[in-house]
Amino acid sequence: MKKVLIICPYPDGKAPSQRFRFEQYLDSEGVNFIQASFWKEDEWPRIYQKGSIQFKVFSTIKGFG
């Protein structure tokens, strides 16, 4: 079985561009996909709100770690 690591900025199912590029193929036979996103599910709603600059910077840096 093949293993594929997908590193992406958005949590699963949150960005149409990700669904178009790779999420539609995650159920492929014979391939084990692991999706790692920069932002976690609970952080996602705050990313596009006004303000919270410190949170956004910290969350992005943490995602690279």
Side-chain angles (χ1 to χ4, degrees), residues 17-65:
S17 60
Q18 283 184 185
R19 284 192 293 275
F20 177 73
R21 289 190 178 102
F22 64 84
E23 287 179 1
Q24 62 183 334
Y25 303 110
L26 294 180
D27 294 330
S28 297
E29 297 285 327
V31 181
N32 183 16
F33 289 98
I34 300 169
Q35 183 176 347
S37 63
F38 296 150
W39 297 307
K40 305 302 175 215
E41 189 76 30
D42 59 335
E43 297 170 341
W44 178 251
R46 292 183 61 190
I47 296 298
Y48 288 102
Q49 291 178 347
K50 284 189 171 188
S52 302
I53 298 297
Q54 292 172 332
F55 172 79
K56 293 173 186 179
V57 170
F58 176 73
S59 296
T60 302
I61 292 170
K62 185 178 74 171
F64 284 102

